[in-house]
């Protein structure tokens, strides 16, 4: 069975920013979004549009895939399908 995972947040956004010692305000400014928009993205309240993902990955020095990974084991990947 082919299933598609639907993401509703970017759990890697905040950990990557903190690991790099970057300020949310500076990143929001670099992307041309409000500080509130950035806060919503980090909290998982909203998702950035897909057009922002390449720039986010570049600013946070990671791949787009890394933004979807909080660095923890995925609970759904226990092999019990």
């Amino acid at each position: 069975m082919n299933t598609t995972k639907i993401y509703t947040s970017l759990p890697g956004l905040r950990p990557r920013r903190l690991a790099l010692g970057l300020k949310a305000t500076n990143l929001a400014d670099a992307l041309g979004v409000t500080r509130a928009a950035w806060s919503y993205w980090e909290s998982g309240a909203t998702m950035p549009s897909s057009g922002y993902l390449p720039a986010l990955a570049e600013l946070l020095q990671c791949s787009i895939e890394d933004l979807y990974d909080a660095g923890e084991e995925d609970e759904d990947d226990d092999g019990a399908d």
Side-chain angles (χ1 to χ4, degrees):
M1 180 176 176
N2 185 9
T3 61
T4 302
K5 189 167 187 174
I6 298 174
Y7 292 94
T8 59
S9 66
L10 295 175
L13 195 61
R14 181 175 168 82
R16 293 291 309 175
R17 177 179 67 78
L18 294 175
L20 294 169
L22 300 172
K23 293 185 180 237
T25 302
N26 295 345
L27 292 170
D29 289 346
L31 289 171
V33 300
T34 65
R35 174 62 178 92
W38 185 276
S39 178
Y40 292 145
W41 296 350
E42 275 198 4
S43 71
T46 63
M47 278 280 287
S49 66
S50 60
Y52 284 109
L53 296 179
L56 281 167
E58 184 176 336
L59 287 169
L60 296 172
Q61 303 171 19
C62 65
S63 69
I64 291 172
E65 187 175 274
D66 289 338
L67 298 173
Y68 291 99
D69 181 17
E72 301 168 359
E73 284 298 312
D74 190 347
E75 296 169 8
D76 295 334
D77 290 342
D78 62 4
D81 287 346

